[in-house]
Amino acid sequence: MFENKLVLELLERYRVLWALGHASSLMGWDSETYMPREGVEERSIASAELSLLSRRLLLENIAPLVEKLVGVEGLNDFERGVVRVLWRDVERLRRIPENIQYELAKLRSEAPVVWREAREKDDFERFKPYLSRIVELERQVAELLGYEEHPYDALLDYYEEGLRDRDVRVMFSTLVPSIRRVLEKVMAEGYYPREHVLENVEYRREAMETVNREVLNILGFPWSKGRLDVSAHPFTIGIALSDVRITTRYEGRDFRRSLFAVIHEFGHALYNLQVDERLKMTPLAEGASLGVHESQSRFWENIVGRSRAFVELLKPILDEHLGFTRDYSVEELYKYFNIVRPSLIRVDADEVTYNLHIYLRYELERMLVAGEIKVHDLPELWNEYMDRLLGIKPKSYKDGVLQDIHWSLTAIGYFPTYTIGNILAAQLKNRFEADVGRLGDVIGERRFELVRVYLREKIHKWGAVYPPKDLVVKALGEPMNPVYLAEYIENKYSRL
Amino acid sequence: MFENKLVLELLERYRVLWALGHASSLMGWDSETYMPREGVEERSIASAELSLLSRRLLLENIAPLVEKLVGVEGLNDFERGVVRVLWRDVERLRRIPENIQYELAKLRSEAPVVWREAREKDDFERFKPYLSRIVELERQVAELLGYEEHPYDALLDYYEEGLRDRDVRVMFSTLVPSIRRVLEKVMAEGYYPREHVLENVEYRREAMETVNREVLNILGFPWSKGRLDVSAHPFTIGIALSDVRITTRYEGRDFRRSLFAVIHEFGHALYNLQVDERLKMTPLAEGASLGVHESQSRFWENIVGRSRAFVELLKPILDEHLGFTRDYSVEELYKYFNIVRPSLIRVDADEVTYNLHIYLRYELERMLVAGEIKVHDLPELWNEYMDRLLGIKPKSYKDGVLQDIHWSLTAIGYFPTYTIGNILAAQLKNRFEADVGRLGDVIGERRFELVRVYLREKIHKWGAVYPPKDLVVKALGEPMNPVYLAEYIENKYSRL
């Protein structure tokens, strides 16, 4: 796999950076799950120190060696992957001075705290100075990193290697009209209830935990290499190839929220867990990009989890542990899990409307980064877009512009990867059915091993060896194509 | 507190080492509590990498500056403390080559896993190669560090600055005969039952968790700065001054085991939590030594926790949550908590016999380090010593030589600090009663604030500013003296 002497030397030197990443991941996981409240101050200093240390080690010990390897002929795909991934990091860090990195790192721990307060108090003014500074810094970052057409390109590329604003525009120009057509049809039919009884039925937390664990068992989650914990916002973190942890939340009602968070995070976790063992502790031991990662979580959450065949499997588990689902048929549960309805909160949105929420954020971010609008303009523009796209308007900031944590984490250019994930998930379903057989049948027969192996061979095992665009072509035979998602939504929701 | 410019510069440079220590502590905590089983391999490599990185940073960035400061006049106590603690680390690391440090670090993660399996399967052979290698390496370490009289000195000094084998011999030569006298008297009287009914009464884990939490509330454990979790072997870990975590275990019967582990670990935690805030993120933000640390845990566990006055406070909590204690009077519970009886397992040993278990380990370690015996000889010698000291012999490895985790953690020279802790705890009781008043009265009035403040002012707040021997004289007015413990045991157990 790795034979070139310089690459081997590089991987040897990289080991300590990997270890720092391992520690930082654990610190991140702990901060969101078990850390005592007052631990936050020392933890954030420790995190910032380790992030600066990583920067220095990368620039001092790794950069000179990677530089020698850039453009060297005769490397195999794995070796080229190592050089590509590290060179991206080196170039980025060389262009962003330490003081900007430090300020962004500091904001990443401070701003979410302010954002949380602002959201609770529904007070946009409180968050505004932080968000303004973040936008200002991210605009500087874009200039420092450079771009060909649009400053947003520079930010997109960080989350999704090779992604450009023009790709995103093309993507949404196919998707948005098609989604809106389906949405109008669905709304006209009045098939889905405005409110579903199950949304208000309370569950016992222990019972729901058991459901989640049994569902993970069915899917094949390897408990010897992972955990399920609780956090305010569900997430997956790969601490090591054999230590991948997911979280969910228990709000006490509307059980599908907890359940589908688990299935979603399972998708992310499986990707991390199925990276080739031989890439362990290398810079390739992670997903190809956020978009490809999201395709995995969305594949399991929506394509598998919200399918009729899967609801059949869920029903006995729900009936046994929650009990109250016994009054509902599989068909009724299927409907509950797939209600389509314009709503204010992205994370609660259905498969049809979800990408409209992303489109809104994309448009706003793009204008912010271009300097066409100011943070001050966001709340009003948010409401206008909501009205235009979904026909509803939030009555508060917390149901509108203050709902997402991302901007407080200085993540601008991240949202489009969610739609990429949805598109690739639909595309993957299509490919899987051509290569293996009807997914519904495979699910019905509980042959998840087949799905896991397919995903491993096509995508997971490659880790970050290939840039996402290349991996997609290699795995799916063609580039990302939003038509697959449009068709999937059309098929699933227009034929009721 | 810190004014000297070079010391300030030193502390600035030390910050990243502190951050690495923070990360390593969290990794250690996680390994024992929540890490998925198969995470161990990558975790152990990450730990070893970070330990090597710390070493390099210490030797490259810290050492030259500390060296300048060694022997500089006019430093205040805090500044001298910083220089002393860092100089100890520098000297140690300069003498131990990187490959030995790396191997020891790797063993510290791997060997406990093997030890656990070996203990479960009662299979000493399985652990033997690991222990042999550990002993071999520790003997090399002793030679590299150097010593005046006995190679064991070099290892003792690591855990207890300034402690020598001759000190330990003197300590045990006072203590062992005195303990054995009390033990013989107690056994002859037949006051304690051979088996106590409560040892086999089962408890519900949730109920016991509530008891433990309520006891921690009474003692004043600050939940915003700490946690209580579960691990195979109870421990305390200071991740930060505002993040100190303790663990206990729930075996389902003999509830005092879980309870007194919690009170013990509370003592350790309180020490970490009450170090002067201004020492945060400096090399002084830790205890003076393992012995002084253990004096705190033993003070709370035995002197406070196993006192009649404390049992009075415990009774209503136990009665409410466990229920079955209602059939027992305070006096009967007091007796149950203080049963004296030769037993096989150190961690379950009573105050009288406990130090005989330590004495046994001390003798074996000392001979191992001197090369007078081999790991191969341990099981038999263990049994011989048990017979000679306590008149009983284990029938399995897990009740004998495989019972302790310490050796698997490469900790040789650590055990004597437990007896130092017991001695200092008794000495502290004496001092407290001279300075403040009868401890039994303070406990009876639930005035634990008084105890916490006393310990903070005498010991905790100083962190590692003074070497342990100096701190003891400063806090207690005289050096460590085993007579206090001998008298305490005599008083408590010979007058039944």
Side-chain angles (χ1 to χ4, degrees):
Chain A
M1 179 164 269
F2 300 109
E3 284 155 22
N4 180 289
K5 273 196 182 161
L6 277 183
V7 173
L8 287 169
E9 159 80 13
L10 187 58
L11 291 175
E12 182 75 21
R13 290 197 198 176
Y14 176 76
R15 184 92 43 88
V16 67
L17 275 165
W18 165 81
L20 282 167
H22 176 95
S24 297
S25 299
L26 181 66
M27 284 156 73
W29 172 82
D30 183 69
S31 301
E32 299 296 323
T33 51
Y34 294 109
M35 185 179 73
R37 185 166 44 80
E38 293 191 53
V40 64
E41 191 202 332
E42 282 159 284
R43 173 64 50 84
S44 70
I45 297 172
S47 298
E49 286 287 339
L50 296 189
S51 123
L52 275 191
L53 177 60
S54 291
R55 175 199 174 92
R56 282 174 203 158
L57 292 174
L58 189 82
L59 292 178
E60 284 165 24
N61 302 339
I62 303 286
L65 205 49
V66 190
E67 200 150 18
K68 275 194 210 161
L69 278 158
V70 173
V72 160
E73 303 281 315
L75 298 183
N76 66 34
D77 285 9
F78 301 100
E79 294 163 345
R80 264 204 306 279
V82 169
V83 175
R84 189 189 95 256
V85 168
L86 289 178
W87 186 239
R88 254 170 74 81
D89 287 347
V90 168
E91 281 207 298
R92 182 179 169 82
L93 290 184
R94 281 187 176 168
R95 286 176 183 163
I96 301 175
E98 206 169 289
N99 65 326
I100 291 189
Q101 195 197 334
Y102 186 82
E103 192 178 345
L104 282 169
K106 235 178 108 233
L107 280 165
R108 259 194 295 281
S109 52
E110 287 167 10
V113 179
V114 178
W115 164 75
R116 222 163 267 131
E117 286 167 10
R119 194 179 59 160
E120 265 165 38
K121 303 214 157 72
D122 200 36
D123 179 3
F124 184 66
E125 289 302 310
R126 200 184 189 107
F127 184 47
K128 217 170 78 177
Y130 285 83
L131 184 53
S132 300
R133 184 65 188 145
I134 287 165
V135 170
E136 208 174 312
L137 286 167
E138 288 294 313
R139 292 186 64 199
Q140 280 182 44
V141 165
E143 293 305 321
L144 290 163
L145 293 177
Y147 49 86
E148 281 176 24
E149 295 185 2
H150 194 284
Y152 196 50
D153 289 346
L155 304 184
L156 286 172
D157 187 79
Y158 178 55
Y159 299 105
E160 193 73 19
E161 186 179 351
L163 186 70
R164 298 291 173 265
D165 182 59
R166 62 162 64 219
D167 303 324
V168 183
R169 291 216 85 71
V170 169
M171 177 175 96
F172 280 120
S173 69
T174 306
L175 213 51
V176 172
S178 150
I179 287 171
R180 289 196 37 100
R181 256 196 321 275
V182 175
L183 182 60
E184 272 161 34
K185 188 156 174 270
V186 167
M187 294 314 289
E189 278 165 345
Y191 176 73
Y192 293 108
R194 286 186 67 84
E195 224 176 323
H196 195 289
V197 179
L198 282 173
E199 287 171 75
N200 287 307
V201 175
E202 289 178 8
Y203 57 78
R204 278 199 317 114
R205 178 172 156 158
E206 297 71 34
M208 194 62 219
E209 272 177 14
T210 309
V211 167
N212 287 339
R213 284 179 189 278
E214 293 209 2
V215 170
L216 286 173
N217 287 340
I218 286 185
L219 296 176
F221 186 73
W223 295 102
S224 62
K225 296 181 177 184
R227 298 187 47 82
L228 171 64
D229 293 284
V230 181
S231 65
H233 295 271
F235 67 91
T236 298
I237 198 156
I239 294 171
L241 277 201
S242 298
D243 184 356
V244 180
R245 308 182 186 189
I246 66 179
T247 69
T248 189
R249 51 183 157 194
Y250 296 96
E251 294 150 308
R253 45 182 281 287
D254 202 3
F255 73 91
R256 67 187 165 166
R257 292 162 59 93
S258 181
L259 173 64
F260 284 99
V262 167
I263 303 174
H264 180 97
E265 303 305 336
F266 168 79
H268 282 302
L270 191 67
Y271 191 171
N272 286 61
L273 288 162
Q274 295 202 126
V275 168
D276 191 320
E277 265 284 311
R278 293 170 299 173
L279 299 179
K280 195 164 66 179
M281 304 188 284
T282 74
L284 304 180
E286 54 180 36
S289 70
L290 286 181
V292 179
H293 235 300
E294 191 73 5
S295 74
Q296 302 307 296
S297 54
R298 286 309 210 172
F299 180 80
W300 287 96
E301 178 193 356
N302 288 338
I303 313 255
V304 174
R306 292 186 210 268
S307 70
R308 270 193 184 77
F310 196 71
V311 181
E312 296 257 13
L313 301 187
L314 283 175
K315 174 130 172 81
I317 299 174
L318 299 171
D319 288 354
E320 184 182 346
H321 301 290
L322 298 182
F324 57 77
T325 52
R326 285 183 209 134
D327 301 338
Y328 296 81
S329 67
V330 165
E331 196 50 36
E332 284 165 332
L333 288 173
Y334 174 75
K335 187 172 173 180
Y336 165 55
F337 294 149
N338 286 288
I339 293 174
V340 175
R341 169 211 297 159
S343 64
L344 296 169
I345 306 294
R346 175 185 61 82
V347 294
D348 298 335
D350 53 79
E351 285 181 278
V352 179
T353 58
Y354 187 90
N355 296 297
L356 298 175
H357 291 268
I358 299 303
Y359 176 62
L360 172 156
R361 287 153 178 78
Y362 157 67
E363 288 285 6
L364 298 184
E365 283 191 347
R366 191 178 178 274
M367 290 187 287
L368 276 175
V369 172
E372 295 161 15
I373 61 169
K374 297 266 174 243
V375 166
H376 176 80
D377 308 315
L378 282 178
E380 214 183 303
L381 279 169
W382 187 285
N383 293 3
E384 270 180 46
Y385 269 87
M386 279 301 287
D387 195 25
R388 200 189 315 161
L389 291 168
L390 287 154
I392 52 174
K393 271 190 190 181
K395 292 198 176 59
S396 63
Y397 296 119
K398 70 170 173 253
D399 286 339
V401 69
L402 280 181
Q403 69 183 265
D404 294 309
I405 195 174
H406 301 61
W407 291 341
S408 77
L409 291 167
T410 79
I412 295 179
Y414 185 118
F415 282 117
T417 68
Y418 287 137
T419 293
I420 292 176
N422 289 325
I423 293 169
L424 291 177
Q427 202 161 339
L428 192 57
K429 172 185 195 285
N430 191 276
R431 191 76 232 162
F432 178 88
E433 301 207 316
D435 289 347
V436 182
R438 242 181 53 82
L439 188 61
D441 298 339
V442 173
I443 296 170
E445 292 158 14
R446 293 170 178 259
R447 295 166 71 195
F448 293 106
E449 172 74 10
L450 264 184
V451 186
R452 293 197 305 269
V453 169
Y454 185 82
L455 296 174
R456 187 186 74 209
E457 291 304 310
K458 288 285 177 182
I459 296 172
H460 300 176
K461 74 174 184 185
W462 298 109
V465 172
Y466 301 107
K469 284 181 174 176
D470 294 1
L471 177 67
V472 167
V473 172
K474 194 176 154 72
L476 305 175
E478 59 182 321
M480 174 176 79
N481 186 346
V483 166
Y484 288 102
L485 178 61
E487 277 176 5
Y488 164 80
I489 288 177
E490 176 90 19
N491 283 334
K492 183 164 175 181
Y493 293 97
S494 287
R495 299 175 185 168
L496 301 170
Chain B
M1 180 165 269
F2 300 109
E3 285 156 20
N4 180 288
K5 273 197 182 159
L6 275 186
V7 172
L8 287 169
E9 158 81 12
L10 188 57
L11 291 176
E12 182 76 22
R13 291 196 197 177
Y14 176 76
R15 184 88 46 87
V16 68
L17 275 166
W18 166 80
L20 283 168
H22 176 94
S24 297
S25 299
L26 181 65
M27 283 156 72
W29 172 80
D30 182 70
S31 300
E32 298 297 322
T33 52
Y34 294 109
M35 185 180 72
R37 184 165 43 80
E38 293 190 51
V40 63
E41 192 202 332
E42 283 159 282
R43 172 65 49 83
S44 72
I45 297 171
S47 300
E49 285 288 339
L50 295 188
S51 120
L52 270 196
L53 177 60
S54 291
R55 172 200 177 92
R56 282 177 202 157
L57 293 173
L58 189 83
L59 292 179
E60 283 164 23
N61 302 338
I62 304 286
L65 205 50
V66 190
E67 199 149 17
K68 276 193 209 160
L69 278 157
V70 172
V72 161
E73 302 280 316
L75 297 183
N76 66 33
D77 284 9
F78 302 100
E79 295 163 342
R80 263 205 305 279
V82 169
V83 175
R84 188 189 97 257
V85 168
L86 289 178
W87 186 240
R88 252 171 74 79
D89 287 348
V90 168
E91 280 206 300
R92 180 179 168 82
L93 290 184
R94 282 186 176 170
R95 285 174 185 165
I96 301 175
E98 209 169 288
N99 64 325
I100 291 188
Q101 195 197 335
Y102 189 84
E103 194 180 345
L104 281 168
K106 240 174 120 246
L107 279 166
R108 261 193 295 282
S109 306
E110 288 167 6
V113 179
V114 177
W115 164 75
R116 218 164 272 130
E117 286 168 8
R119 194 179 60 159
E120 264 164 40
K121 301 213 158 73
D122 198 36
D123 179 2
F124 184 67
E125 289 301 311
R126 201 183 189 107
F127 183 48
K128 218 170 77 177
Y130 285 83
L131 184 53
S132 299
R133 184 65 188 143
I134 287 165
V135 170
E136 207 175 313
L137 286 167
E138 287 295 314
R139 292 188 62 203
Q140 282 181 45
V141 165
E143 293 305 320
L144 290 162
L145 292 177
Y147 48 85
E148 282 175 25
E149 295 184 5
H150 195 282
Y152 198 50
D153 288 347
L155 304 184
L156 285 172
D157 187 80
Y158 178 55
Y159 298 105
E160 193 72 19
E161 188 178 348
L163 186 70
R164 299 290 173 264
D165 183 59
R166 63 161 64 219
D167 303 323
V168 183
R169 290 217 85 72
V170 169
M171 176 175 97
F172 280 120
S173 69
T174 307
L175 214 50
V176 171
S178 149
I179 287 171
R180 289 196 39 100
R181 256 197 322 277
V182 176
L183 182 60
E184 272 160 32
K185 184 154 177 269
V186 167
M187 295 314 290
E189 278 166 345
Y191 175 72
Y192 294 108
R194 286 185 66 84
E195 226 178 322
H196 196 288
V197 180
L198 282 173
E199 289 173 73
N200 287 306
V201 175
E202 290 178 6
Y203 58 79
R204 277 196 319 112
R205 176 170 157 161
E206 296 71 34
M208 194 62 219
E209 271 177 16
T210 309
V211 167
N212 286 339
R213 283 177 191 279
E214 293 208 3
V215 170
L216 285 173
N217 288 339
I218 287 186
L219 297 176
F221 186 72
W223 295 102
S224 62
K225 296 181 177 184
R227 299 186 47 83
L228 170 64
D229 294 283
V230 181
S231 66
H233 209 85
F235 68 91
T236 297
I237 196 155
I239 294 171
L241 277 202
S242 297
D243 184 356
V244 179
R245 308 184 185 188
I246 66 178
T247 69
T248 188
R249 52 184 157 193
Y250 297 97
E251 294 149 308
R253 45 182 283 285
D254 203 4
F255 73 92
R256 67 186 166 168
R257 291 163 57 93
S258 181
L259 173 65
F260 284 98
V262 167
I263 303 174
H264 179 98
E265 302 306 335
F266 167 80
H268 282 303
L270 191 68
Y271 193 172
N272 286 61
L273 287 162
Q274 293 203 127
V275 168
D276 192 322
E277 265 284 312
R278 293 170 298 172
L279 299 179
K280 192 165 67 179
M281 304 189 284
T282 75
L284 303 180
E286 54 180 36
S289 71
L290 286 181
V292 180
H293 234 301
E294 191 72 6
S295 74
Q296 302 307 296
S297 54
R298 286 309 209 171
F299 180 80
W300 288 95
E301 178 193 356
N302 287 339
I303 314 256
V304 174
R306 292 186 211 268
S307 70
R308 269 191 186 76
F310 196 72
V311 180
E312 296 258 14
L313 302 186
L314 282 176
K315 174 134 170 77
I317 299 174
L318 299 171
D319 288 354
E320 184 183 346
H321 301 290
L322 297 182
F324 56 78
T325 52
R326 286 183 209 135
D327 302 338
Y328 297 82
S329 68
V330 165
E331 195 52 36
E332 284 165 331
L333 287 174
Y334 174 76
K335 186 171 174 181
Y336 165 54
F337 294 149
N338 286 288
I339 293 175
V340 175
R341 169 213 299 159
S343 64
L344 297 170
I345 306 293
R346 174 184 61 84
V347 295
D348 299 334
D350 55 79
E351 287 181 276
V352 179
T353 57
Y354 187 90
N355 296 297
L356 298 176
H357 290 268
I358 300 303
Y359 177 60
L360 171 155
R361 286 152 180 77
Y362 158 67
E363 289 285 6
L364 296 185
E365 282 191 348
R366 191 178 178 274
M367 290 188 285
L368 274 176
V369 172
E372 293 160 18
I373 62 169
K374 297 264 174 248
V375 166
H376 176 81
D377 308 316
L378 283 177
E380 214 184 303
L381 278 168
W382 187 285
N383 293 3
E384 271 180 46
Y385 268 88
M386 280 300 288
D387 194 25
R388 199 187 317 159
L389 291 167
L390 287 154
I392 53 175
K393 272 189 191 180
K395 291 197 178 61
S396 63
Y397 295 119
K398 69 170 174 252
D399 286 339
V401 69
L402 279 181
Q403 68 182 268
D404 295 309
I405 195 174
H406 301 62
W407 291 341
S408 77
L409 291 167
T410 78
I412 295 179
Y414 186 119
F415 282 117
T417 68
Y418 286 137
T419 293
I420 292 176
N422 289 326
I423 293 169
L424 291 176
Q427 204 161 337
L428 191 58
K429 172 184 194 287
N430 192 277
R431 193 72 233 162
F432 179 88
E433 300 206 317
D435 289 347
V436 182
R438 241 182 52 82
L439 188 62
D441 298 339
V442 173
I443 295 169
E445 293 157 13
R446 293 171 178 257
R447 295 166 72 197
F448 293 106
E449 173 73 12
L450 264 185
V451 187
R452 291 198 306 268
V453 169
Y454 184 82
L455 296 174
R456 188 186 73 209
E457 291 305 311
K458 287 286 177 183
I459 295 171
H460 300 175
K461 73 173 184 186
W462 298 109
V465 172
Y466 302 107
K469 284 182 173 174
D470 295 2
L471 177 66
V472 166
V473 173
K474 192 174 157 72
L476 305 176
E478 60 180 320
M480 173 176 79
N481 186 346
V483 166
Y484 287 103
L485 179 60
E487 278 175 4
Y488 164 79
I489 287 176
E490 178 88 19
N491 284 334
K492 183 164 176 182
Y493 294 96
S494 288
R495 300 174 184 171
L496 299 170

